Amino acid sequence: MSDSTGRGQDYESSLSGASTSLAEFEAHEKGLFGRFHNALHATPALVPLIVLMAAILIFGVTLGERFFSPGTLTLILQQVQIVGVLAAAQTLIILTAGIDLSVGAMAVFCSVIMGQFTFRYGIPAPVGIACGLAIGTGIGAVSGWLVSRVKLPPFIVTLGMWQIVLAANYLYSKNETIRSQDIRESAPLLGFMGMRFEVGGAVITLGVVTMILIVVVLAYVLRSTAWGRHVYAVGDDAEAAELAGVNRHGTIMSVYMTAGFICGLAGWVMIGRFGSVSPSASTGVVGNIQSITAVVIGGISLFGGRGSIWGAFFGALIVGTFELGLRMAGANAQWTYLLIGALIIGAVAVDQWIRKVTS
Amino acid sequence: MTEPMLKGRGLTKRYGKVTALDRCDFDLYPGEILAVIGDNGAGKSTLIKALSGAVIPDEGEILLDGKPVTFASPIEARGYGIETVYQTLAMSPALSIVDNMFMGREIRKKGMMGSLLRQLDKAEMERVAREKLNDLGLTTVQNINQAVETLSGGQRQGVAVARAAAFGSKVIILDEPTAALGVKESRKVLELIQDVRARGIPIVLISHNMPHVFELADRIHVHRLGKRLCVIDPKAHTMNDAVAYMTGAKEPEEVRAA
Ligand SMILES: Nc1ncnc2c1ncn2[C@@H]1O[C@H](COP(=O)(O)OP(=O)(O)OP(=O)(O)O)[C@@H](O)[C@H]1O
Ligand SMILES: [Mg+2]
C-alpha cells in the first residue's frame, strides 16, 4: 500500500510551490449592468420601488396637483390598507414556497367573528376582537399542519380552506350584516382601525398605521432574527434546511399561524374601513388574488426563499397608484387591469433573470 | 482497545422494496479516523444519515458512549455534538455563507436587543465564519455575505466542511467531503481532518478516493449490500484488497479485524 500511497501523494508534491492566494470570493463586477444585477440580487425590493416611484412621478407630472397632493397620496394608502395587510400574510406563506388562497376569506370570517361575538353574544368588544384574531390563528394552524405534516400541496390546502371558510362565514353569520350605526353606538372599538388623523391635508387611518407597522415588524423579524432566516431557508430548500438543523415543521406551523393572525388583523382593518361588518365583502373572493398580485409585483419569488416584505408593500402601493391615477385621468378601468397584468408577467420575468446566478 | 464511542447495532432501513441498510453494525472508537468505503448505492450515506438523525432506522439501536440514544432529527444529533457534512451539502443556495454556517445555531446579540428583540449578532457571526474559513485556507479575500449559489461546487463543499469542523465537538461525519474539490483544496480538507483528530475528535470519512483513505484512516469499514462486510487495517491490507472486498471480487479472510 505504501507504494500506491506514495504515488498518491506524488502528484500533490508540486503543491508546495503553488500560489498561496487561494480561492477568492470576490464578486466579479461586470460593468454597470453586472453591478445592477448584483444589486437586484441583494435587494430584490428595488425593482418595485423604482416602478412605484416612476408611476407616482408620471401621474404627478400628467395630473399635477390633483394627484400629487398629500390628500391623494394618502388616499392611496387608505385604499390599499386591506390588501397591504393581506399581502404581508401572503408574503410569509410564499417565502416558504407556499401560496395562500384563503387569506381574503379568512379576513372576512374573522371580521364576522369579531362582530357577531360582540353583538350576538354580548361579549365585550375587546374579547370579541381577540376571539377573531385567535380563530384566524387557529385556521392558519390547521392549514400549516396539513401542509407540513400531511404534506399536502399548499395550493390544494388553501383552495379547500378558502371554500370552507367562506361557506362557514355565510352559515355562521346567517348572511347578516352588522350596521355601522350599531357599531358606532355600542361597540366603537370594532371600528377602531377606521380612526383618522389629518395632518395638512394628509389623512392617515389607524388601519394604514397598522399595515405599515406589520410591514416594519415583519421586515425586522425576517431580516434580523433566526426565525426569519429559517423561513427563507425552508422556502429555499426545505430538505437542506432540515439537515442543516432547522425545525422545518415548527417554522411552517409558525408561518401559517402568523399569517392567520395577520388575516385576523386584516378583518379588523376591514371593519374600520367599511364601518360595517358584512359576510359578503368582496375581499372574501378577490382578496387572495389581490394579495398574490401585490406579492408577485413586489418581486417575491413564487418558488420561495427570495424576496423582501418591502417588495410586497410596494407592490400593493403600485396597484393602488395605478387604480387611482388612471381613474383620475379618466381612463377606462380596464386599463388598470391590463397594466397590472403586464406588471405581473414583467415581475416574474425579472425574478427569473435575477435568479440566474452571476457567473 | 477501549469501548466504541459511537456504536450501531443491527441498523436496518428500507425504502419500499429497496433495503438500503440491512442489519448493519458500526463502531467508531475515540480519537480515530474511520473510513467507510463501498460501491455506489451500497448504503454508506444511509448509514451515516441514521447515525446523524437525518434518517430514522426501522430497526436497530445506536449507542453513544455506551448509552442508547435515538435521534428524531439532525438537530438532536447535533445536540450531542455529532456534526455531519452530507453528500448533498445541505445548504440554502439563496442565503449567504454566514447564514448557512450558522443555520439553526445563530448567535444573538447580547443584552436587551438579543434577549427581547432576538436580534442576531451579524458582526460576531461574520467574524467567526471568516475565521473558520481562513482556518481551512479556503479564502483570502472573502465576501462572507455572498449567496452560496454564487460559489463554485468546490467552494460550497469547503464551506460545508468548515461548518462541521467548526461546530463538531464529539464526532464529525464527512460524506465524500473532497468529491468536488481540486487537488489543493482536497489537501486542505485532509489536513483539516488531521487537525480535528489532533483535537481528539473522532471522524467518519466516506470516500471513494483510495489514496486518501489509506493515507488518513486508522481503520477502514468496508460496506457492501447494506451492511458492514469487514473492518480492515490499512497497514495490513493493500488498496487492491480493499477494492476487491468492496466489489465482492474477493472475500475477506479475517472478518472484523482491527
Ligand atoms: N430517500 C430514498 N428513497 C428511496 N431510496 C433511497 C433513498 N435514499 C437511498 N435510497 C436507496 O438506498 C440505497 C443506498 O443508497 P445510499 O445513498 O446510502 O448509497 P451510497 O453508498 O451512499 O452510494 P454513493 O456512493 O453513490 O453515495 C440505494 O439503492 C438508493 O437507491
Ligand atoms: Mg452516498
Side-chain angles (χ1 to χ4, degrees), chain A residues 10-280:
Chain A
D10 203 17
Y11 69 96
E12 289 173 338
S13 61
S14 51
L15 271 185
S16 52
S19 126
T20 43
S21 85
L22 294 146
E24 295 183 6
F25 290 155
E26 189 80 275
H28 342 269
E29 306 286 1
K30 289 182 302 176
L32 208 59
F33 193 66
R35 220 177 286 189
F36 184 57
H37 189 253
N38 284 344
L40 290 185
H41 202 278
T43 324
L46 220 51
V47 179
L49 181 61
I50 294 168
V51 173
L52 178 64
M53 290 305 171
I56 291 177
L57 200 73
I58 291 168
F59 284 123
V61 169
T62 50
L63 298 169
E65 282 286 290
R66 206 150 57 87
F67 179 86
F68 208 73
S69 69
T72 310
L73 292 179
T74 49
L75 182 61
I76 295 175
L77 282 171
Q78 288 171 51
Q79 287 180 340
V80 302
Q81 57 186 328
I82 298 166
V83 173
V85 174
L86 290 180
Q90 191 69 259
T91 300
L92 283 177
I93 306 277
I94 288 184
L95 279 178
T96 64
I99 192 144
D100 196 336
L101 299 176
S102 65
V103 288
M106 276 166 71
V108 175
F109 188 47
C110 291
S111 75
V112 162
I113 298 275
M114 291 173 187
Q116 294 291 349
F117 273 35
T118 308
F119 281 87
R120 199 186 290 178
Y121 311 130
I123 293 174
V127 181
I129 291 165
C131 288
L133 295 174
I135 286 175
T137 312
I139 299 173
V142 173
S143 298
W145 187 80
L146 289 170
V147 168
S148 172
R149 275 283 183 260
V150 190
K151 308 234 185 272
L152 299 178
F155 182 89
I156 299 301
V157 168
T158 58
L159 179 67
M161 211 44 113
W162 174 19
Q163 304 301 326
I164 293 169
V165 169
L166 210 55
N169 158 61
Y170 283 119
L171 291 172
Y172 173 68
S173 66
K174 304 197 186 81
N175 217 350
E176 270 169 28
T177 297
I178 300 170
R179 294 182 307 154
S180 53
Q181 196 187 344
D182 296 338
I183 292 178
R184 247 176 296 144
E185 277 166 13
S186 41
L189 195 68
L190 284 178
F192 180 67
M193 291 292 180
M195 230 161 89
R196 33 204 303 139
F197 317 90
E198 268 198 58
V199 198
V203 181
I204 298 288
T205 64
L206 278 183
V208 169
V209 174
T210 302
M211 167 180 70
I212 293 171
L213 271 181
I214 291 173
V215 172
V216 169
V217 168
L218 283 182
Y220 168 80
V221 169
L222 284 170
R223 229 190 122 68
S224 301
T225 72
W227 183 79
R229 300 288 87 194
H230 296 176
V231 170
Y232 278 92
V234 165
D236 203 7
D237 183 340
E239 199 180 332
E242 203 162 18
L243 288 178
V246 171
N247 179 348
R248 190 191 58 86
H249 176 67
T251 307
I252 291 185
M253 284 303 287
S254 57
V255 160
Y256 278 82
M257 288 169 75
T258 308
F261 179 80
I262 295 173
C263 289
L265 286 176
W268 195 13
V269 171
M270 282 175 66
I271 305 177
R273 173 100 182 117
F274 302 136
S276 57
V277 176
S278 163
S280 51

Side-chain angles (χ1 to χ4, degrees), chain A residues 1 4 9 12 22-25 41 220 223-226 229-230 233 236 240 242-246 306 357, chain B residues 54 78 92-94 99 103 106 117-120 122 137-141 143 146 149 151 155 187 215 234 239:
Chain A
M1 73 124 222
S4 353
Q9 274 175 331
E12 289 173 338
L22 294 146
E24 295 183 6
F25 290 155
H41 202 278
Y220 168 80
R223 229 190 122 68
S224 301
T225 72
R229 300 288 87 194
H230 296 176
D236 203 7
E242 203 162 18
L243 288 178
V246 171
R306 281 158 218 265
V357 175
Chain B
R78 229 161 69 167
S92 299
D99 283 336
M103 189 55 68
E106 294 81 0
L117 295 177
R118 322 212 125 232
Q119 192 175 47
L120 296 176
K122 296 208 167 154
L138 195 68
T139 55
T140 45
V141 189
N143 176 4
Q146 187 172 348
E149 67 194 349
L151 301 179
Q155 288 174 319
R187 183 59 26 206
E215 181 191 339
M239 288 189 209

